[in-house]
Amino acid sequence: LFVTPPTVSANICEVKRLWAGCNGKKSIEEIAEASLLKNMKRSIKQAKDKAVAASFMALTSAHSAEDNPDLKQYDGTAVDVLLGKCQGVTELAAADAKRANDKDMLLGIVRHNAFGPDYHNYSRIEEAWATSPSADAGPYSRILGMYPFAAIINHSCASNAIRVFAGEIMAVHANAPIKKGEEIGWSYIPATRPYHVRQEQISTKFGFQCKCRRCVLELEALDAAAPDVSDGLKALDSLNVTTMSAEMMPSLAVFDEQLQSLETLLSHSSLSNEAKRSLRLWCTNFYINYFNTALQHSN
């Protein structure tokens, strides 16, 4: 669909150096945010970087389906503005210039629109850096950056697009057929998480309730089914986790029993095949942990 570098980003080697020097007083995420904010403020002040500043100032701090960046205030296409390539921008528009002095506003733009380490989360990076005293950033090539053109893509738990990175370069491609005029959407959080977990995370981090097609389907399916279906799926939460150490992993017999319970729940007559597929996606990490446990018990 498109490929884009960040218009502004935090330097990962600088973040590692600052993190190593603070002796645990600040988290990697805090340092990365501060580094990105510093570079954003620099682009706001410097005349040659005004197009870069315009790219992220066009974004609102509250990211929801109703929000639209104000792009008409600059000469050039919307794509040019969001990619930081709008020609002849020597000053920010009046509204953006006023907001640019608001630190909380800038931080809101970062927290709602910047792209961090994705599935290589900050905790995993911290663990890697703690065991690697070298000056470089190890296996990581990026930490936090502004990609305004990608940031305007709205959330959907049933995404039709995904992003991958090569260094700091983001490549966005379709993972489902997209018709002309159809909105592109992707998940702001791992889409394999259960409905109640997704809703809580979206509400806490992004400030809105997801009402995408998948969430509506799952909610209607659970409302129509017997209460034991919803309760039974939530009972899997302790086994349906992203990381499970060998010490915490229960016996294969426990997984066998839970799998039988899961299949019984998903055979409920009120559930459509589409709802069953969607609800089964909840249990992705359960299946992965089950598979790993089975490998440990195999010859």
Side-chain angles (χ1 to χ4, degrees), residues 65-231:
E66 290 72 32
D67 291 321
N68 292 293
D70 184 4
L71 303 174
K72 296 179 180 179
Q73 53 194 328
Y74 297 106
D75 292 330
T77 68
V79 174
D80 288 338
V81 175
L82 291 169
L83 291 177
K85 296 181 178 180
C86 194
Q87 300 296 320
V89 179
T90 58
E91 295 293 337
L92 290 176
D96 284 346
K98 183 177 180 180
R99 292 193 306 158
N101 294 317
D102 187 335
K103 181 180 178 181
D104 291 336
M105 176 66 72
L106 291 178
L107 186 59
I109 291 175
V110 168
R111 290 181 174 174
H112 289 93
N113 298 282
F115 290 83
D118 280 352
Y119 297 106
H120 293 281
N121 57 43
Y122 289 108
S123 297
R124 188 179 299 178
I125 293 175
E126 189 165 329
E127 290 175 7
W129 285 357
T131 58
S132 176
S134 61
D136 63 38
Y140 304 104
S141 55
R142 52 175 293 273
I143 189 75
L144 188 65
M146 296 299 304
Y147 300 78
F149 187 54
I152 65 171
I153 296 178
N154 281 320
H155 166 80
S156 173
C157 297
S159 63
N160 56 16
I162 59 174
R163 60 184 177 272
V164 294
F165 287 93
E168 285 199 321
I169 303 298
M170 178 194 293
V172 178
H173 61 88
N175 64 352
I178 302 176
K179 298 178 181 179
K180 183 177 181 180
E182 181 181 353
E183 181 178 8
I184 297 171
W186 57 24
S187 184
Y188 292 175
I189 60 174
T192 54
R193 291 173 178 167
Y195 170 83
H196 59 282
V197 176
R198 298 198 313 270
Q199 289 292 338
E200 180 182 0
Q201 292 181 336
I202 288 293
S203 176
T204 299
K205 187 171 183 179
F206 298 100
F208 66 91
Q209 181 183 6
C210 181
K211 297 180 181 179
C212 71
R213 181 173 178 274
R214 179 184 168 197
C215 283
V216 171
L217 172 69
E218 291 178 2
L219 184 59
E220 290 177 348
L222 292 176
D223 286 344
D228 58 323
V229 174
S230 178
D231 294 340

Side-chain angles (χ1 to χ4, degrees), residues 35-56:
S35 177
L36 179 55
L37 280 171
K38 180 187 69 174
N39 293 335
M40 289 168 66
K41 291 176 180 177
R42 181 182 298 142
S43 69
I44 290 171
K45 293 179 180 179
Q46 296 182 356
K48 66 182 181 67
D49 289 336
K50 282 295 192 293
V52 170
S55 72
F56 59 77

Side-chain angles (χ1 to χ4, degrees), residues 1-71:
L1 298 174
F2 62 88
V3 177
T4 175
T7 58
V8 60
S9 64
N11 182 279
I12 191 168
C13 291
E14 179 187 56
V15 171
K16 183 178 182 181
R17 177 179 58 80
L18 293 172
W19 175 78
C22 75
N23 298 317
K25 294 179 180 179
K26 291 184 177 180
S27 68
I28 290 176
E29 185 171 10
E30 289 176 304
I31 296 171
E33 282 186 348
S35 177
L36 179 55
L37 280 171
K38 180 187 69 174
N39 293 335
M40 289 168 66
K41 291 176 180 177
R42 181 182 298 142
S43 69
I44 290 171
K45 293 179 180 179
Q46 296 182 356
K48 66 182 181 67
D49 289 336
K50 282 295 192 293
V52 170
S55 72
F56 59 77
M57 289 307 301
L59 301 171
T60 60
S61 62
H63 199 154
S64 72
E66 290 72 32
D67 291 321
N68 292 293
D70 184 4
L71 303 174

